[in-house]
Amino acid sequence: MIRSDDLDHCREAIRHGSLSFHAASKLLPAKVRDPALALYAFCRLADDEVDEGDYQAGAVFRLQERLDAAYAGKPKNAPEDRAFAAIIEDFDMPRALPEALLEGLAWDAAEHRYDSLSGVRDYSARVASAVGAMMCVLMRVRDPDALARACDLGVAMQLTNIARDVGEDARMGRIYLPLDWLAEAGIDPLNFVREPLPTDDVRRMVKRLLAEADRLYRRSEAGINVLPLQARTGIWAARLIYAGIGTQLKRQGYDSISMRARTSSRQKLGWLTQAGGYTLTSLVMPKSPVVYAKPLPEVAFLVDAASRARPDPSRSSTVLDILAELKAREAEIGTDRPMA
């Protein structure tokens, strides 16, 4: 069980660090909202350390140690870690899910780029759909069809984030747009990160990303409507708020380089109200056959892990591989900073 002081800390961390999730979480029942806030606080801390820290590889190795300690029942003496260890015990959280997040963050630290849209979905599965699958576990939902739709929603949200942050990422030397799209447009990645410009070609790529996100948002809706009734409004709100970022991008001509898409508090309030309406509608509408669509190939491993009655506590080989790659990369560049 999560300690009350640890939960208070996690709640404050999310209130300041993730306005969209904080707004949507208010609509979740307390038995889901409280562990969800703790989960997001742990994941957000991990993401921020890798994303904003001076030594990204070190942050990944520290996260690996934190996961090892939490799954050993001896979490680091920090509110987020103690709360996450309580989640592991209370919900039988499959280790493969947070380790998928670890793998995605390690890809960031290793400065991976992705050859195709499938590769971008692979990355999105790890840094976003893994969290969606963990949310399902917190709702006691382990049905593979519902999990597949939750993973659709995670990928859609991450594609929206990527579309919104093209310029910001490029100025930090990062590219998440599929490299084959850049090649088709005759854009050299090296030149793009040196001087990202909102050209017609780049705007078309943003539009294509959002089109894929929209397709997955629509698929995810069938899954939202089979979640526990009290949780539906909160998840609908998250879906609508994130999709609203894409709508704002469309309004600004798909330019995410010279400006950043933002949504207002009034808009969020409107989406929260709309989410309640969709939940009421779900009570009278028949189950959509879309809920039975096969999972994306890139998220199938998450669906499999989360749906198991007895989670596998062992480390995955792919995580070990990327950690080994990171260590080899650090050795090659001859860093003088300590490694875990």
Side-chain angles (χ1 to χ4, degrees):
M1 186 174 184
I2 302 172
R3 284 172 29 177
S4 60
D5 56 335
D6 289 343
L7 182 59
D8 288 341
H9 175 92
C10 294
R11 187 180 291 114
E12 280 300 299
I14 292 301
R15 187 168 71 88
H16 292 290
S18 183
L19 295 178
S20 295
F21 180 76
H22 186 263
S25 71
K26 292 180 179 180
L27 301 178
L28 293 171
K31 65 182 180 180
V32 176
R33 181 181 63 246
D34 290 348
L37 288 168
L39 172 65
Y40 263 72
F42 182 85
C43 295
R44 182 69 188 228
L45 177 63
D47 184 58
D48 286 349
E49 284 189 2
V50 174
D51 200 37
E52 301 172 5
D54 294 331
Y55 184 33
Q56 293 180 319
V60 171
F61 299 136
R62 287 193 298 274
L63 176 57
Q64 175 199 6
E65 291 178 347
R66 289 167 60 202
L67 284 177
D68 286 345
Y71 273 91
K74 300 176 181 179
K76 176 185 173 183
N77 188 26
E80 295 90 350
D81 293 70
R82 290 192 298 266
F84 186 67
I87 288 172
I88 293 170
E89 182 177 355
D90 293 345
F91 294 91
D92 291 327
M93 182 64 68
R95 182 170 179 147
L97 303 183
E99 286 211 330
L101 173 63
L102 169 64
E103 185 176 14
L105 297 179
W107 287 2
D108 276 337
E111 300 179 352
H112 278 202
R113 293 178 181 176
Y114 306 99
D115 292 333
S116 65
L117 181 59
S118 177
V120 178
R121 286 195 298 253
D122 269 329
Y123 169 73
S124 301
R126 285 156 176 80
V127 298
S129 293
V131 180
M134 285 190 276
M135 282 290 296
C136 283
V137 172
L138 299 186
M139 297 177 205
R140 309 290 185 183
V141 172
R142 291 186 182 264
D143 173 72
D145 295 320
L147 287 162
R149 303 290 74 78
C151 290
D152 285 342
L153 182 57
V155 173
M157 289 177 166
Q158 187 60 30
L159 293 180
T160 302
N161 284 339
I162 290 170
R164 179 193 60 195
D165 297 337
V166 170
E168 181 179 324
D169 286 333
R171 285 185 282 270
M172 297 175 68
R174 299 173 180 172
I175 294 178
Y176 293 99
L177 293 170
L179 295 180
D180 59 356
W181 291 9
L182 292 172
E184 289 170 9
I187 297 175
D188 185 326
L190 184 60
N191 291 335
F192 184 67
V193 296
R194 284 174 176 167
E195 188 179 10
L197 297 172
T199 63
D200 289 343
D201 286 325
V202 173
R203 291 177 192 231
R204 276 192 287 270
M205 293 180 213
V206 171
K207 184 177 181 180
R208 287 177 71 181
L209 270 185
L210 292 177
E212 174 66 3
D214 286 342
R215 179 179 77 88
L216 295 174
Y217 280 129
R218 289 193 294 272
R219 286 210 332 171
S220 75
E221 294 173 357
I224 299 174
N225 289 339
V226 298
L227 294 175
L229 178 60
Q230 289 183 312
R232 292 178 196 175
T233 302
I235 305 304
W236 263 114
R239 177 255 185 267
L240 293 168
I241 289 170
Y242 268 85
I245 296 170
T247 301
Q248 182 59 34
L249 276 169
K250 181 178 180 180
R251 288 176 182 151
Q252 61 194 47
Y254 302 103
D255 176 6
S256 58
I257 292 181
S258 61
M259 62 187 84
R260 181 179 174 84
R262 300 183 186 278
T263 57
S264 68
S265 297
R266 178 175 292 184
Q267 287 176 308
K268 288 185 175 71
L269 180 59
W271 288 317
L272 294 177
T273 303
Q274 190 177 359
Y278 283 138
T279 297
L280 290 175
T281 301
S282 72
L283 295 175
V284 296
M285 293 294 290
K287 183 186 293 187
S288 169
V290 176
V291 75
Y292 302 114
K294 289 184 179 179
L296 293 171
E298 296 87 356
V299 307
F301 76 104
L302 297 171
V303 174
D304 179 61
S307 62
R308 292 178 193 163
R310 293 185 178 179
D312 184 353
S314 62
R315 288 185 185 174
S316 71
S317 59
T318 56
V319 169
L320 295 175
D321 289 344
I322 185 59
L323 291 174
E325 177 188 331
L326 258 187
K327 289 185 178 181
R329 183 174 180 274
E330 289 293 293
E332 285 179 8
I333 63 176
T335 181
D336 58 358
R337 285 171 287 197
M339 288 172 42

